[in-house]
Amino acid sequence: VGSPAAANSPHGGGALFLYPLADDGTPGAPAILHQDSPGVPGDSESGDQFGWTLASDGNLLAVGAPGETTNGRRWSGAVTLLKFTGVGLAFNALRLTQDSAGFETRAEAHDELGGHLAVRGNFVAMGVPDEDLGSARATGIVHVVEVTAAVKPTVKRVYNLHQNSAGIPGVNETNDRWGSAVALAANIGCTPLSVVIGAPGDKLGRTPSGAVTVVGLGTRCAARWLPLATF
């Protein structure tokens, strides 16, 4: 359970409450993790919002901290990956920001990376709807990170996706907010794994009616743009 303003985390920077569940689902006393806990990268600071979003699959847990300051840039955001070893609450951790290797864009104030997450297998999708690209404000970008299957997570590949990326329909426009919702889905069409991306401000004609884009990862499948009129 994420508690992004937990009073019992250092400086109110946010915490996770990890509840062990008995066979009948009864929760036991929680372990509390925050950014000053051993093994968790970063420092717990006021306004980090660590635990604002959580996404998991198997032993991989992604924790969003959209209020994190990166290199002096407030609310640029961060994502912490915790890969549990299967021995109690032991884990290995990896911290990602937009200044990490492989990211197309740099950490900027109020990007709020970590506000929108999805995990499937060893893939983590991170929507950044407040990202500015060129002259387009809050047009949005989605980063999909593939981490290694080993117990200690390391970055294997980063996909940087936006509406001016090759093969993706549409164009970056102000207030598209592409990446306001993200999901990772298997076996959609001709690709084993796709990222599904919501853009509530995307326009059909002049009207910001919203749209969904489905992008296959690691294939030559054509990306699909699905405006509201499609339904």
mmCIF file of all heavy atoms in Angstrom, residues 126-175:
data_model
loop_
_atom_site.group_PDB
_atom_site.id
_atom_site.type_symbol
_atom_site.label_atom_id
_atom_site.label_comp_id
_atom_site.label_asym_id
_atom_site.label_seq_id
_atom_site.Cartn_x
_atom_site.Cartn_y
_atom_site.Cartn_z
ATOM 1 N N MET A 126 6.003 4.049 -18.285
ATOM 2 C CA MET A 126 5.929 5.263 -17.487
ATOM 3 C C MET A 126 5.382 6.393 -18.346
ATOM 4 O O MET A 126 6.039 6.836 -19.292
ATOM 5 C CB MET A 126 7.324 5.628 -16.957
ATOM 6 C CG MET A 126 7.921 4.565 -16.039
ATOM 7 S SD MET A 126 9.653 4.891 -15.607
ATOM 8 C CE MET A 126 10.458 4.263 -17.077
ATOM 9 N N GLY A 127 4.175 6.842 -18.059
ATOM 10 C CA GLY A 127 3.587 7.951 -18.791
ATOM 11 C C GLY A 127 3.974 9.284 -18.171
ATOM 12 O O GLY A 127 3.946 9.433 -16.953
ATOM 13 N N VAL A 128 4.338 10.241 -19.030
ATOM 14 C CA VAL A 128 4.712 11.592 -18.573
ATOM 15 C C VAL A 128 3.873 12.595 -19.361
ATOM 16 O O VAL A 128 4.349 13.227 -20.307
ATOM 17 C CB VAL A 128 6.217 11.858 -18.772
ATOM 18 C CG1 VAL A 128 6.643 13.132 -18.037
ATOM 19 C CG2 VAL A 128 7.056 10.680 -18.294
ATOM 20 N N PRO A 129 2.589 12.747 -19.017
ATOM 21 C CA PRO A 129 1.703 13.590 -19.827
ATOM 22 C C PRO A 129 2.037 15.071 -19.781
ATOM 23 O O PRO A 129 1.595 15.822 -20.657
ATOM 24 C CB PRO A 129 0.318 13.317 -19.225
ATOM 25 C CG PRO A 129 0.582 12.850 -17.832
ATOM 26 C CD PRO A 129 1.866 12.088 -17.918
ATOM 27 N N ASP A 130 2.805 15.522 -18.781
ATOM 28 C CA ASP A 130 3.158 16.945 -18.694
ATOM 29 C C ASP A 130 4.438 17.284 -19.449
ATOM 30 O O ASP A 130 4.910 18.430 -19.371
ATOM 31 C CB ASP A 130 3.303 17.353 -17.227
ATOM 32 C CG ASP A 130 1.967 17.380 -16.510
ATOM 33 O OD1 ASP A 130 1.034 18.002 -17.042
ATOM 34 O OD2 ASP A 130 1.849 16.766 -15.434
ATOM 35 N N GLU A 131 4.998 16.328 -20.180
ATOM 36 C CA GLU A 131 6.237 16.579 -20.917
ATOM 37 C C GLU A 131 6.010 17.584 -22.047
ATOM 38 O O GLU A 131 5.056 17.480 -22.816
ATOM 39 C CB GLU A 131 6.766 15.268 -21.498
ATOM 40 C CG GLU A 131 8.081 15.395 -22.244
ATOM 41 C CD GLU A 131 9.241 15.733 -21.325
ATOM 42 O OE1 GLU A 131 9.431 15.017 -20.325
ATOM 43 O OE2 GLU A 131 9.960 16.706 -21.617
ATOM 44 N N ASP A 132 6.903 18.585 -22.143
ATOM 45 C CA ASP A 132 6.929 19.523 -23.272
ATOM 46 C C ASP A 132 7.908 19.009 -24.311
ATOM 47 O O ASP A 132 9.033 18.614 -23.982
ATOM 48 C CB ASP A 132 7.366 20.918 -22.814
ATOM 49 C CG ASP A 132 6.434 21.523 -21.775
ATOM 50 O OD1 ASP A 132 5.260 21.129 -21.728
ATOM 51 O OD2 ASP A 132 6.908 22.395 -21.013
ATOM 52 N N LEU A 133 7.504 19.021 -25.567
ATOM 53 C CA LEU A 133 8.373 18.606 -26.667
ATOM 54 C C LEU A 133 8.313 19.665 -27.749
ATOM 55 O O LEU A 133 7.264 19.907 -28.333
ATOM 56 C CB LEU A 133 7.940 17.246 -27.224
ATOM 57 C CG LEU A 133 8.089 16.053 -26.266
ATOM 58 C CD1 LEU A 133 7.399 14.819 -26.841
ATOM 59 C CD2 LEU A 133 9.562 15.753 -26.016
ATOM 60 N N GLY A 134 9.456 20.312 -28.001
ATOM 61 C CA GLY A 134 9.467 21.414 -28.945
ATOM 62 C C GLY A 134 8.580 22.534 -28.444
ATOM 63 O O GLY A 134 8.627 22.925 -27.282
ATOM 64 N N SER A 135 7.715 23.022 -29.313
ATOM 65 C CA SER A 135 6.810 24.106 -28.938
ATOM 66 C C SER A 135 5.507 23.594 -28.334
ATOM 67 O O SER A 135 4.672 24.386 -27.902
ATOM 68 C CB SER A 135 6.495 24.972 -30.164
ATOM 69 O OG SER A 135 5.851 24.196 -31.171
ATOM 70 N N ALA A 136 5.324 22.267 -28.304
ATOM 71 C CA ALA A 136 4.090 21.682 -27.780
ATOM 72 C C ALA A 136 4.205 21.515 -26.267
ATOM 73 O O ALA A 136 5.103 20.828 -25.781
ATOM 74 C CB ALA A 136 3.808 20.339 -28.437
ATOM 75 N N ARG A 137 3.317 22.148 -25.530
ATOM 76 C CA ARG A 137 3.324 22.090 -24.069
ATOM 77 C C ARG A 137 2.368 20.998 -23.587
ATOM 78 O O ARG A 137 1.264 20.855 -24.101
ATOM 79 C CB ARG A 137 2.892 23.449 -23.487
ATOM 80 C CG ARG A 137 3.837 24.587 -23.892
ATOM 81 C CD ARG A 137 5.192 24.427 -23.204
ATOM 82 N NE ARG A 137 6.143 25.465 -23.601
ATOM 83 C CZ ARG A 137 7.140 25.279 -24.456
ATOM 84 N NH1 ARG A 137 7.293 24.096 -25.030
ATOM 85 N NH2 ARG A 137 7.962 26.251 -24.749
ATOM 86 N N ALA A 138 2.828 20.224 -22.601
ATOM 87 C CA ALA A 138 2.029 19.129 -22.035
ATOM 88 C C ALA A 138 1.498 18.220 -23.142
ATOM 89 O O ALA A 138 0.348 17.790 -23.117
ATOM 90 C CB ALA A 138 0.885 19.664 -21.179
ATOM 91 N N THR A 139 2.358 17.939 -24.114
ATOM 92 C CA THR A 139 1.955 17.014 -25.173
ATOM 93 C C THR A 139 2.112 15.575 -24.730
ATOM 94 O O THR A 139 1.307 14.725 -25.070
ATOM 95 C CB THR A 139 2.754 17.275 -26.461
ATOM 96 O OG1 THR A 139 2.280 16.408 -27.484
ATOM 97 C CG2 THR A 139 4.242 17.045 -26.259
ATOM 98 N N GLY A 140 3.154 15.270 -23.934
ATOM 99 C CA GLY A 140 3.299 13.953 -23.328
ATOM 100 C C GLY A 140 4.259 13.018 -24.040
ATOM 101 O O GLY A 140 4.471 13.095 -25.255
ATOM 102 N N ILE A 141 4.839 12.140 -23.238
ATOM 103 C CA ILE A 141 5.752 11.105 -23.733
ATOM 104 C C ILE A 141 5.577 9.877 -22.852
ATOM 105 O O ILE A 141 5.147 9.979 -21.696
ATOM 106 C CB ILE A 141 7.219 11.599 -23.714
ATOM 107 C CG1 ILE A 141 8.139 10.650 -24.495
ATOM 108 C CG2 ILE A 141 7.738 11.776 -22.276
ATOM 109 C CD1 ILE A 141 9.540 11.217 -24.717
ATOM 110 N N VAL A 142 5.879 8.710 -23.405
ATOM 111 C CA VAL A 142 5.839 7.455 -22.647
ATOM 112 C C VAL A 142 7.191 6.766 -22.798
ATOM 113 O O VAL A 142 7.696 6.611 -23.915
ATOM 114 C CB VAL A 142 4.710 6.526 -23.142
ATOM 115 C CG1 VAL A 142 4.799 5.152 -22.473
ATOM 116 C CG2 VAL A 142 3.352 7.163 -22.871
ATOM 117 N N HIS A 143 7.778 6.381 -21.673
ATOM 118 C CA HIS A 143 9.009 5.602 -21.665
ATOM 119 C C HIS A 143 8.661 4.180 -21.246
ATOM 120 O O HIS A 143 7.971 3.979 -20.246
ATOM 121 C CB HIS A 143 10.027 6.173 -20.677
ATOM 122 C CG HIS A 143 10.306 7.630 -20.853
ATOM 123 N ND1 HIS A 143 11.045 8.136 -21.911
ATOM 124 C CD2 HIS A 143 9.934 8.707 -20.115
ATOM 125 C CE1 HIS A 143 11.128 9.453 -21.800
ATOM 126 N NE2 HIS A 143 10.459 9.823 -20.727
ATOM 127 N N VAL A 144 9.128 3.198 -22.006
ATOM 128 C CA VAL A 144 8.970 1.797 -21.628
ATOM 129 C C VAL A 144 10.359 1.230 -21.420
ATOM 130 O O VAL A 144 11.193 1.228 -22.336
ATOM 131 C CB VAL A 144 8.207 0.988 -22.689
ATOM 132 C CG1 VAL A 144 8.045 -0.452 -22.221
ATOM 133 C CG2 VAL A 144 6.844 1.612 -22.966
ATOM 134 N N VAL A 145 10.618 0.760 -20.210
ATOM 135 C CA VAL A 145 11.931 0.245 -19.841
ATOM 136 C C VAL A 145 11.838 -1.267 -19.706
ATOM 137 O O VAL A 145 10.969 -1.791 -18.995
ATOM 138 C CB VAL A 145 12.407 0.859 -18.512
ATOM 139 C CG1 VAL A 145 13.722 0.242 -18.066
ATOM 140 C CG2 VAL A 145 12.557 2.370 -18.658
ATOM 141 N N GLU A 146 12.713 -1.965 -20.401
ATOM 142 C CA GLU A 146 12.860 -3.406 -20.211
ATOM 143 C C GLU A 146 14.043 -3.634 -19.287
ATOM 144 O O GLU A 146 15.149 -3.174 -19.557
ATOM 145 C CB GLU A 146 13.080 -4.122 -21.537
ATOM 146 C CG GLU A 146 13.203 -5.630 -21.395
ATOM 147 C CD GLU A 146 13.505 -6.337 -22.711
ATOM 148 O OE1 GLU A 146 13.708 -5.658 -23.722
ATOM 149 O OE2 GLU A 146 13.545 -7.587 -22.701
ATOM 150 N N VAL A 147 13.807 -4.322 -18.181
ATOM 151 C CA VAL A 147 14.897 -4.630 -17.256
ATOM 152 C C VAL A 147 15.272 -6.092 -17.416
ATOM 153 O O VAL A 147 14.504 -6.915 -17.939
ATOM 154 C CB VAL A 147 14.511 -4.317 -15.794
ATOM 155 C CG1 VAL A 147 14.220 -2.838 -15.622
ATOM 156 C CG2 VAL A 147 13.324 -5.142 -15.342
ATOM 157 N N THR A 148 16.479 -6.430 -16.988
ATOM 158 C CA THR A 148 16.956 -7.802 -17.114
ATOM 159 C C THR A 148 16.143 -8.732 -16.228
ATOM 160 O O THR A 148 15.571 -8.330 -15.213
ATOM 161 C CB THR A 148 18.432 -7.888 -16.719
ATOM 162 O OG1 THR A 148 18.591 -7.335 -15.411
ATOM 163 C CG2 THR A 148 19.297 -7.096 -17.700
ATOM 164 N N ALA A 149 16.117 -10.007 -16.604
ATOM 165 C CA ALA A 149 15.360 -10.990 -15.844
ATOM 166 C C ALA A 149 16.082 -11.409 -14.567
ATOM 167 O O ALA A 149 15.487 -12.078 -13.720
ATOM 168 C CB ALA A 149 15.089 -12.220 -16.706
ATOM 169 N N ALA A 150 17.333 -11.010 -14.404
ATOM 170 C CA ALA A 150 18.084 -11.382 -13.211
ATOM 171 C C ALA A 150 17.459 -10.751 -11.976
ATOM 172 O O ALA A 150 16.676 -9.796 -12.060
ATOM 173 C CB ALA A 150 19.539 -10.934 -13.355
ATOM 174 N N VAL A 151 17.811 -11.288 -10.798
ATOM 175 C CA VAL A 151 17.240 -10.785 -9.552
ATOM 176 C C VAL A 151 17.614 -9.327 -9.332
ATOM 177 O O VAL A 151 16.823 -8.550 -8.811
ATOM 178 C CB VAL A 151 17.696 -11.657 -8.363
ATOM 179 C CG1 VAL A 151 17.234 -11.060 -7.036
ATOM 180 C CG2 VAL A 151 17.153 -13.070 -8.504
ATOM 181 N N LYS A 152 18.808 -8.919 -9.733
ATOM 182 C CA LYS A 152 19.205 -7.517 -9.614
ATOM 183 C C LYS A 152 18.802 -6.797 -10.895
ATOM 184 O O LYS A 152 19.346 -7.082 -11.968
ATOM 185 C CB LYS A 152 20.707 -7.391 -9.369
ATOM 186 C CG LYS A 152 21.152 -5.954 -9.134
ATOM 187 C CD LYS A 152 22.608 -5.884 -8.751
ATOM 188 C CE LYS A 152 23.061 -4.445 -8.563
ATOM 189 N NZ LYS A 152 22.292 -3.730 -7.539
ATOM 190 N N PRO A 153 17.851 -5.870 -10.833
ATOM 191 C CA PRO A 153 17.366 -5.239 -12.062
ATOM 192 C C PRO A 153 18.366 -4.245 -12.647
ATOM 193 O O PRO A 153 18.906 -3.396 -11.939
ATOM 194 C CB PRO A 153 16.088 -4.519 -11.602
ATOM 195 C CG PRO A 153 16.320 -4.236 -10.153
ATOM 196 C CD PRO A 153 17.161 -5.364 -9.633
ATOM 197 N N THR A 154 18.628 -4.369 -13.924
ATOM 198 C CA THR A 154 19.405 -3.389 -14.677
ATOM 199 C C THR A 154 18.662 -3.124 -15.981
ATOM 200 O O THR A 154 17.894 -3.969 -16.461
ATOM 201 C CB THR A 154 20.835 -3.880 -14.984
ATOM 202 O OG1 THR A 154 20.765 -5.132 -15.692
ATOM 203 C CG2 THR A 154 21.633 -4.077 -13.700
ATOM 204 N N VAL A 155 18.871 -1.954 -16.546
ATOM 205 C CA VAL A 155 18.146 -1.573 -17.758
ATOM 206 C C VAL A 155 18.728 -2.304 -18.963
ATOM 207 O O VAL A 155 19.922 -2.244 -19.230
ATOM 208 C CB VAL A 155 18.214 -0.053 -17.971
ATOM 209 C CG1 VAL A 155 17.588 0.324 -19.313
ATOM 210 C CG2 VAL A 155 17.498 0.670 -16.836
ATOM 211 N N LYS A 156 17.837 -2.984 -19.689
ATOM 212 C CA LYS A 156 18.237 -3.684 -20.909
ATOM 213 C C LYS A 156 17.970 -2.822 -22.134
ATOM 214 O O LYS A 156 18.764 -2.785 -23.068
ATOM 215 C CB LYS A 156 17.480 -5.006 -21.002
ATOM 216 C CG LYS A 156 17.874 -5.887 -22.164
ATOM 217 C CD LYS A 156 17.142 -7.222 -22.081
ATOM 218 C CE LYS A 156 17.522 -8.149 -23.223
ATOM 219 N NZ LYS A 156 16.800 -9.445 -23.133
ATOM 220 N N ARG A 157 16.827 -2.115 -22.119
ATOM 221 C CA ARG A 157 16.461 -1.267 -23.265
ATOM 222 C C ARG A 157 15.417 -0.265 -22.808
ATOM 223 O O ARG A 157 14.620 -0.542 -21.916
ATOM 224 C CB ARG A 157 15.894 -2.117 -24.402
ATOM 225 C CG ARG A 157 15.459 -1.298 -25.611
ATOM 226 C CD ARG A 157 15.120 -2.142 -26.800
ATOM 227 N NE ARG A 157 14.697 -1.322 -27.915
ATOM 228 C CZ ARG A 157 14.416 -1.784 -29.122
ATOM 229 N NH1 ARG A 157 14.501 -3.079 -29.377
ATOM 230 N NH2 ARG A 157 14.035 -0.973 -30.088
ATOM 231 N N VAL A 158 15.443 0.919 -23.436
ATOM 232 C CA VAL A 158 14.427 1.938 -23.183
ATOM 233 C C VAL A 158 13.760 2.293 -24.513
ATOM 234 O O VAL A 158 14.433 2.632 -25.486
ATOM 235 C CB VAL A 158 15.036 3.211 -22.556
ATOM 236 C CG1 VAL A 158 13.928 4.238 -22.291
ATOM 237 C CG2 VAL A 158 15.772 2.890 -21.262
ATOM 238 N N TYR A 159 12.434 2.196 -24.554
ATOM 239 C CA TYR A 159 11.643 2.684 -25.693
ATOM 240 C C TYR A 159 11.116 4.071 -25.322
ATOM 241 O O TYR A 159 10.488 4.240 -24.271
ATOM 242 C CB TYR A 159 10.461 1.770 -25.976
ATOM 243 C CG TYR A 159 10.789 0.347 -26.350
ATOM 244 C CD1 TYR A 159 11.008 -0.613 -25.360
ATOM 245 C CD2 TYR A 159 10.845 -0.060 -27.677
ATOM 246 C CE1 TYR A 159 11.288 -1.928 -25.694
ATOM 247 C CE2 TYR A 159 11.124 -1.373 -28.024
ATOM 248 C CZ TYR A 159 11.347 -2.306 -27.025
ATOM 249 O OH TYR A 159 11.623 -3.614 -27.353
ATOM 250 N N ASN A 160 11.385 5.063 -26.169
ATOM 251 C CA ASN A 160 10.893 6.426 -25.967
ATOM 252 C C ASN A 160 9.833 6.704 -27.023
ATOM 253 O O ASN A 160 10.131 6.733 -28.222
ATOM 254 C CB ASN A 160 12.037 7.431 -26.086
ATOM 255 C CG ASN A 160 13.118 7.195 -25.044
ATOM 256 O OD1 ASN A 160 12.916 7.466 -23.865
ATOM 257 N ND2 ASN A 160 14.272 6.689 -25.462
ATOM 258 N N LEU A 161 8.590 6.885 -26.599
ATOM 259 C CA LEU A 161 7.468 6.957 -27.520
ATOM 260 C C LEU A 161 6.717 8.270 -27.351
ATOM 261 O O LEU A 161 6.368 8.658 -26.239
ATOM 262 C CB LEU A 161 6.501 5.797 -27.269
ATOM 263 C CG LEU A 161 7.111 4.388 -27.235
ATOM 264 C CD1 LEU A 161 6.062 3.377 -26.789
ATOM 265 C CD2 LEU A 161 7.667 4.010 -28.598
ATOM 266 N N HIS A 162 6.471 8.943 -28.468
ATOM 267 C CA HIS A 162 5.578 10.107 -28.486
ATOM 268 C C HIS A 162 4.971 10.194 -29.878
ATOM 269 O O HIS A 162 5.295 9.392 -30.772
ATOM 270 C CB HIS A 162 6.307 11.394 -28.081
ATOM 271 C CG HIS A 162 7.566 11.660 -28.838
ATOM 272 N ND1 HIS A 162 7.578 12.232 -30.085
ATOM 273 C CD2 HIS A 162 8.873 11.428 -28.518
ATOM 274 C CE1 HIS A 162 8.823 12.355 -30.512
ATOM 275 N NE2 HIS A 162 9.635 11.868 -29.576
ATOM 276 N N GLN A 163 4.079 11.146 -30.091
ATOM 277 C CA GLN A 163 3.325 11.164 -31.341
ATOM 278 C C GLN A 163 4.112 11.704 -32.528
ATOM 279 O O GLN A 163 3.593 11.688 -33.656
ATOM 280 C CB GLN A 163 2.015 11.941 -31.156
ATOM 281 C CG GLN A 163 1.040 11.201 -30.267
ATOM 282 C CD GLN A 163 -0.307 11.889 -30.192
ATOM 283 O OE1 GLN A 163 -1.240 11.569 -30.941
ATOM 284 N NE2 GLN A 163 -0.416 12.843 -29.302
ATOM 285 N N ASN A 164 5.339 12.140 -32.308
ATOM 286 C CA ASN A 164 6.229 12.445 -33.427
ATOM 287 C C ASN A 164 7.267 11.344 -33.640
ATOM 288 O O ASN A 164 8.150 11.490 -34.476
ATOM 289 C CB ASN A 164 6.938 13.781 -33.214
ATOM 290 C CG ASN A 164 6.048 14.973 -33.517
ATOM 291 O OD1 ASN A 164 4.880 14.820 -33.885
ATOM 292 N ND2 ASN A 164 6.575 16.178 -33.359
ATOM 293 N N SER A 165 7.176 10.238 -32.887
ATOM 294 C CA SER A 165 8.069 9.108 -33.098
ATOM 295 C C SER A 165 7.728 8.411 -34.410
ATOM 296 O O SER A 165 6.562 8.375 -34.828
ATOM 297 C CB SER A 165 7.950 8.107 -31.951
ATOM 298 O OG SER A 165 8.327 8.660 -30.713
ATOM 299 N N ALA A 166 8.734 7.832 -35.048
ATOM 300 C CA ALA A 166 8.519 7.131 -36.313
ATOM 301 C C ALA A 166 7.501 6.002 -36.134
ATOM 302 O O ALA A 166 7.602 5.201 -35.201
ATOM 303 C CB ALA A 166 9.842 6.572 -36.819
ATOM 304 N N GLY A 167 6.508 5.962 -37.018
ATOM 305 C CA GLY A 167 5.538 4.886 -37.023
ATOM 306 C C GLY A 167 4.355 5.075 -36.100
ATOM 307 O O GLY A 167 3.445 4.240 -36.094
ATOM 308 N N ILE A 168 4.349 6.161 -35.301
ATOM 309 C CA ILE A 168 3.234 6.401 -34.397
ATOM 310 C C ILE A 168 2.329 7.460 -35.007
ATOM 311 O O ILE A 168 2.797 8.541 -35.388
ATOM 312 C CB ILE A 168 3.731 6.828 -33.005
ATOM 313 C CG1 ILE A 168 4.470 5.651 -32.357
ATOM 314 C CG2 ILE A 168 2.570 7.280 -32.120
ATOM 315 C CD1 ILE A 168 4.977 5.928 -30.969
ATOM 316 N N PRO A 169 1.035 7.175 -35.134
ATOM 317 C CA PRO A 169 0.122 8.146 -35.762
ATOM 318 C C PRO A 169 -0.091 9.366 -34.884
ATOM 319 O O PRO A 169 0.089 9.332 -33.672
ATOM 320 C CB PRO A 169 -1.169 7.344 -35.926
ATOM 321 C CG PRO A 169 -1.085 6.262 -34.908
ATOM 322 C CD PRO A 169 0.365 5.939 -34.749
ATOM 323 N N GLY A 170 -0.504 10.455 -35.526
ATOM 324 C CA GLY A 170 -0.765 11.697 -34.807
ATOM 325 C C GLY A 170 0.442 12.612 -34.832
ATOM 326 O O GLY A 170 1.446 12.368 -35.514
ATOM 327 N N VAL A 171 0.358 13.679 -34.071
ATOM 328 C CA VAL A 171 1.430 14.665 -33.996
ATOM 329 C C VAL A 171 1.397 15.268 -32.597
ATOM 330 O O VAL A 171 0.345 15.369 -31.967
ATOM 331 C CB VAL A 171 1.248 15.754 -35.079
ATOM 332 C CG1 VAL A 171 -0.041 16.540 -34.873
ATOM 333 C CG2 VAL A 171 2.450 16.682 -35.131
ATOM 334 N N ASN A 172 2.561 15.643 -32.085
ATOM 335 C CA ASN A 172 2.629 16.274 -30.773
ATOM 336 C C ASN A 172 1.929 17.636 -30.807
ATOM 337 O O ASN A 172 2.296 18.508 -31.596
ATOM 338 C CB ASN A 172 4.086 16.475 -30.348
ATOM 339 C CG ASN A 172 4.798 15.169 -30.074
ATOM 340 O OD1 ASN A 172 4.169 14.151 -29.767
ATOM 341 N ND2 ASN A 172 6.123 15.176 -30.166
ATOM 342 N N GLU A 173 0.930 17.781 -29.946
ATOM 343 C CA GLU A 173 0.190 19.042 -29.860
ATOM 344 C C GLU A 173 0.056 19.439 -28.391
ATOM 345 O O GLU A 173 0.013 18.573 -27.506
ATOM 346 C CB GLU A 173 -1.198 18.903 -30.482
ATOM 347 C CG GLU A 173 -1.193 18.571 -31.962
ATOM 348 C CD GLU A 173 -2.578 18.253 -32.465
ATOM 349 O OE1 GLU A 173 -3.244 17.377 -31.880
ATOM 350 O OE2 GLU A 173 -3.014 18.880 -33.446
ATOM 351 N N THR A 174 -0.039 20.730 -28.154
ATOM 352 C CA THR A 174 -0.203 21.234 -26.797
ATOM 353 C C THR A 174 -1.462 20.651 -26.159
ATOM 354 O O THR A 174 -2.530 20.596 -26.772
ATOM 355 C CB THR A 174 -0.264 22.770 -26.809
ATOM 356 O OG1 THR A 174 1.026 23.269 -27.193
ATOM 357 C CG2 THR A 174 -0.622 23.317 -25.438
ATOM 358 N N ASN A 175 -1.294 20.189 -24.932
ATOM 359 C CA ASN A 175 -2.378 19.665 -24.085
ATOM 360 C C ASN A 175 -2.954 18.343 -24.572
ATOM 361 O O ASN A 175 -4.052 17.959 -24.150
ATOM 362 C CB ASN A 175 -3.501 20.696 -23.910
ATOM 363 C CG ASN A 175 -3.053 21.902 -23.106
ATOM 364 O OD1 ASN A 175 -2.214 21.787 -22.213
ATOM 365 N ND2 ASN A 175 -3.593 23.065 -23.425
#
